[in-house]
């Protein structure tokens, strides 16, 4: 849509008497226009060089510039209305108007009075006497253009108007942009975590148990606490933890939801009441493996734990016990932070002894033997067959046993004595009497347990099933399926089944 007229500042669409007077007194604007008696003006140079009344092409433009206005304000119908020559000279008897009739709705000040049109052209009859059939303002060498040098007080004013409008448009655009940013930020803030608070006021409510695994990093711990709403923000909590300079140890911790970062850090570092030491022992672990797991969960050095274990008498074990092997009860264990190492080990031993007592085994020497049998049961059989394995072992230990002559013949005991873990031993290893755990070469029980038996194995060893089995073999290491027999011939058939399974599962029976 065309820009607003550069010179005319009308307040109403319909002309009034003041408008007529204004048009009637614009005579000086045409004093420099040549009369119709003069010869037509022929310019030797392009019209665009006559940019000022003095003819200085470099002067500040205070007159009409055809090259500038042909593409800008001059071509606007309002400009024609301001100087009252937009109509065709032959149309004097008709109603003149500024510009094309279609533009009346835009200009808003077209004159529709024949008398007024006649009055206008009385003083400007030079336009009616022109030799041009049409007067188009896009013709660069139109005679009117040459004489328009003094008619241009308006363009300077129009530049100020345009400048103000450009500034207004720029401010409006900037306002829209800023508004869009503010609105967009409100939508993006939740997605970008802008609504996440840095810390809860505390002290928190409820109870949340969080475990820190051995080797778990602080970033993982912080994320875990934030996910369970213990802390408000993982990043700010991590900064608080780092600033404390403390070291996170594995274990179970009791927190509250919506705690202050500083309070949660205190719990994690053992400065609060919620920190506990945690470790888990699997059934069948050997003493070295058990001590290592305890150390990782409690932070107590393995050397300190081993020194205590190597003096088993102080924990109530019989003199023949070399260490706490077999007595460190499997399961999950939790202790308050700062619990002494001896107290931890004593608790595990007591758990095992209490289970033996519950099964009617009260004598410490007898308890030691039962734990030893239970450790072999744990290593040799599947849980469904624990009672039968225990019965077969006791059958072999009977004085009148002529089938095996008092030999338990357990591969698990031999490998324990060798310090290895394997499902296969050779004949030389079976014949080695120097191995005190070699139940192929040495009659009776080995010198001690070969691992930590679980409750079911202890119960089976304390109260074995009554049977006549002398042999057993696990024919499937995945399912722990165990076959029992009374004679060696029958046993050898099951051994072949075991060998077939090993052949079908390469690398498993090593």
């Amino acid at each position: 849509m065309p820009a607003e007229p550069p010179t005319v500042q009308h307040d109403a669409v319909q002309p009034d008497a003041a408008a007529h007077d204004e048009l009637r007194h614009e005579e000086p604007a045409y004093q420099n226009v040549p009369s119709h008696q003069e010869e037509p003006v022929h310019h030797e140079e392009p019209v665009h060089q006559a940019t000022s009344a003095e003819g200085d092409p470099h002067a500040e433009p205070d007159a009409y510039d055809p090259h500038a206005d042909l593409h800008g304000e001059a071509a606007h119908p309002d400009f024609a209305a301001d100087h009252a020559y937009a109509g065709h000279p032959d149309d004097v008897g008709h109603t003149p108007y500024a510009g094309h009739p279609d533009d009346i709705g835009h200009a808003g000040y077209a004159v529709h009075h024949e008398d007024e049109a006649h009055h206008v052209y009385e003083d400007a009859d030079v336009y009616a006497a022109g030799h041009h059939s049409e007067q188009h303002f896009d013709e660069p060498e139109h005679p009117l253009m040459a004489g328009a040098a003094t008619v241009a007080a308006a363009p300077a004013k129009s530049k100020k108007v345009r400048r103000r409008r450009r500034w207004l448009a720029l401010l409006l655009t900037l306002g829209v942009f800023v508004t869009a940013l503010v609105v967009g930020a409100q939508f993006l803030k939740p997605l970008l975590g802008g609504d996440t608070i840095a810390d809860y006021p505390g002290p928190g409510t409820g109870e949340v148990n969080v475990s820190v695994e051995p080797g778990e990093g602080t970033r993982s711990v912080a994320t875990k606490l934030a996910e369970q709403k213990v802390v408000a923000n993982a990043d700010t909590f991590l900064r608080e933890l780092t600033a404390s300079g403390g070291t996170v140890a594995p274990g179970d911790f009791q927190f509250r939801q919506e705690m202050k970062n500083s309070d949660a850090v205190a719990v994690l570092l053992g400065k609060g009441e919620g920190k506990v030491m945690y470790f888990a022992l699997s059934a069948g672990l050997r003493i070295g493996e058990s001590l290592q797991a305890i150390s990782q969960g409690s932070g107590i050095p393995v050397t300190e734990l081993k020194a205590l274990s190597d003096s088993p008498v102080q924990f109530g074990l019989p003199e023949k016990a070399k260490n706490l092997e077999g007595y460190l009860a499997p399961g999950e264990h939790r202790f308050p932070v700062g619990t002494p190492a001896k107290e931890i080990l004593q608790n595990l031993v007591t758990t095992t002894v209490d289970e033996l007592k519950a099964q009617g085994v009260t004598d410490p020497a007898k308890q030691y033997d039962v734990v030893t049998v239970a450790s072999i049961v744990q290593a040799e059989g599947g849980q469904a067959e624990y009672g039968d394995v225990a019965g077969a072992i006791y059958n072999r230990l009977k004085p009148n046993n002529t089938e095996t002559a008092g030999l338990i013949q357990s591969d698990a005991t031999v490998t324990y004595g060798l310090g290895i873990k394997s499902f296969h031993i050779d004949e030389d290893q079976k014949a080695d009497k120097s191995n005190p755990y070699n139940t192929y070469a040495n009659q009776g029980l080995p010198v001690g347990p070969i691992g930590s038996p679980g409750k079911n194995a202890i119960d089976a060893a304390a109260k074995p099933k009554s049977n006549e089995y002398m042999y057993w073999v696990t024919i499937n290491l995945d399912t722990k399926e165990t076959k029992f027999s009374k004679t060696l011939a029958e046993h050898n058939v099951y051994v072949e089944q075991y060998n077939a399974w090993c052949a079908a599962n390469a690398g498993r029976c090593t």
Side-chain angles (χ1 to χ4, degrees):
M1 186 173 70
E4 292 294 328
T7 57
V8 181
Q9 303 291 330
H10 292 287
D11 295 328
V13 175
Q14 297 299 328
D16 53 14
H20 289 301
D21 291 340
E22 184 178 355
L23 291 174
R24 188 178 294 110
H25 288 87
E26 289 183 351
E27 296 173 0
Y30 303 99
Q31 290 177 0
N32 293 333
V33 179
S35 66
H36 64 280
Q37 288 90 0
E38 294 177 353
E39 292 295 327
V41 178
H42 299 282
H43 296 283
E44 296 297 328
E45 297 178 359
V47 177
H48 69 273
Q49 292 184 357
T51 58
S52 69
E54 292 76 16
D56 183 3
H58 301 288
E60 183 69 23
D62 60 354
Y64 177 78
D65 185 349
H67 285 278
D69 293 339
L70 278 175
H71 304 285
E73 299 291 343
H76 196 285
D78 299 339
F79 182 86
D82 188 38
H83 297 288
Y85 57 79
H88 194 283
D90 296 336
D91 296 333
V92 174
H94 300 284
T95 303
Y97 55 87
H100 193 279
D102 295 340
D103 294 333
I104 293 175
H106 300 286
Y109 53 87
V111 180
H112 296 279
H113 299 281
E114 293 184 4
D115 291 342
E116 183 183 10
H118 178 71
H119 171 75
V120 171
Y121 283 95
E122 284 179 351
D123 294 330
D125 56 358
V126 62
Y127 298 111
H131 300 286
H132 295 71
S133 60
E134 294 183 5
Q135 294 178 348
H136 299 284
F137 293 93
D138 56 356
E139 296 177 2
E141 295 189 4
H142 197 285
L144 296 180
M145 300 301 103
T150 61
V151 191
K157 187 175 181 180
S158 67
K159 288 182 180 179
K160 294 180 181 179
V161 174
R162 291 198 303 272
R163 189 177 297 111
R164 286 198 301 270
R165 288 172 180 164
R166 281 196 298 269
W167 276 107
L168 180 59
L170 179 60
L171 290 175
L172 288 174
T173 302
L174 182 60
V176 172
F177 179 71
V178 171
T179 302
L181 283 179
V182 173
V183 174
Q186 297 302 316
F187 284 100
L188 291 175
K189 187 185 294 185
L191 299 177
L192 299 176
D195 287 337
T196 302
I197 61 176
D199 199 0
Y200 289 128
T205 59
E207 183 177 301
V208 179
N209 294 317
V210 178
S211 296
V212 177
E213 303 299 330
E216 186 172 9
T218 55
R219 166 61 66 177
S220 174
V221 174
T223 301
K224 191 183 296 184
L225 292 176
E227 288 175 349
Q228 299 195 41
K229 295 184 179 180
V230 173
V231 298
N233 186 290
D235 291 330
T236 56
F237 171 79
L238 191 58
R239 286 196 291 269
E240 184 93 21
L241 177 61
T242 302
S244 71
T247 302
V248 179
D252 275 7
F253 302 85
Q254 292 180 349
F255 297 91
R256 293 183 295 275
Q257 283 193 328
E258 300 187 2
M259 296 180 69
K260 287 178 61 67
N261 286 333
S262 57
D263 292 343
V265 168
V267 171
L268 198 61
L269 298 182
K271 299 176 182 179
E273 298 179 356
K275 176 126 188 309
V276 295
M277 295 183 295
Y278 166 84
F279 56 87
L281 303 179
S282 299
L285 290 182
R286 295 176 180 179
I287 186 66
E289 296 170 323
S290 295
L291 296 179
Q292 184 65 37
I294 296 170
S295 175
Q296 289 179 346
S298 65
I300 300 172
V302 173
T303 53
E304 181 180 349
L305 294 170
K306 186 176 184 305
L308 290 169
S309 173
D310 289 344
S311 301
V313 176
Q314 61 182 319
F315 296 98
L317 271 64
E319 291 288 341
K320 61 180 179 179
K322 294 183 177 181
N323 51 41
L324 295 180
E325 182 69 277
Y327 282 83
L328 300 180
E332 294 184 331
H333 301 282
R334 295 172 175 83
F335 297 91
V337 172
T339 302
K342 182 179 180 181
E343 185 176 337
I344 293 174
L345 296 179
Q346 183 65 69
N347 182 280
L348 301 181
V349 172
T350 299
T351 299
T352 300
V353 172
D354 286 346
E355 183 60 30
L356 289 167
K357 290 180 178 179
Q359 298 299 321
V361 183
T362 57
D363 180 64
K366 180 64 175 177
Q367 290 173 349
Y368 191 77
D369 290 341
V370 171
V371 168
T372 301
V373 172
S375 67
I376 300 173
V377 170
Q378 182 75 56
E380 291 277 355
Q383 290 195 30
E385 292 82 23
Y386 281 168
D388 284 327
V389 172
I393 291 174
Y394 284 117
N395 288 339
R396 287 182 170 231
L397 293 175
K398 291 177 179 180
N400 60 348
N401 170 27
T402 59
E403 185 70 29
T404 64
L407 298 173
I408 296 177
Q409 296 178 328
S410 166
D411 291 356
T413 61
V414 177
T415 56
Y416 180 90
L418 294 174
I420 63 174
K421 285 192 173 184
S422 174
F423 295 106
H424 174 74
I425 55 176
D426 57 32
E427 295 302 320
D428 290 338
Q429 291 170 329
K430 291 179 180 180
D432 183 11
K433 286 190 175 185
S434 64
N435 180 354
Y437 292 89
N438 184 355
T439 55
Y440 280 92
N442 302 304
Q443 294 178 326
L445 290 172
V447 294
I450 60 173
S452 296
K455 178 181 182 300
N456 291 337
I458 290 175
D459 292 349
K463 295 180 178 179
K465 284 186 177 181
S466 178
N467 58 50
E468 297 180 358
Y469 297 138
M470 300 295 293
Y471 302 92
W472 70 90
V473 58
T474 301
I475 64 172
N476 187 314
L477 300 182
D478 289 338
T479 63
K480 300 296 184 181
E481 180 183 359
T482 304
K483 295 289 188 177
F484 298 89
S485 54
K486 299 177 182 178
T487 64
L488 180 60
E490 185 181 6
H491 173 68
N492 288 336
V493 172
Y494 295 138
V495 169
E496 289 302 319
Q497 291 182 12
Y498 165 73
N499 291 333
W501 187 92
C502 290
N505 296 270
R508 292 298 311 281
C509 303
T510 59

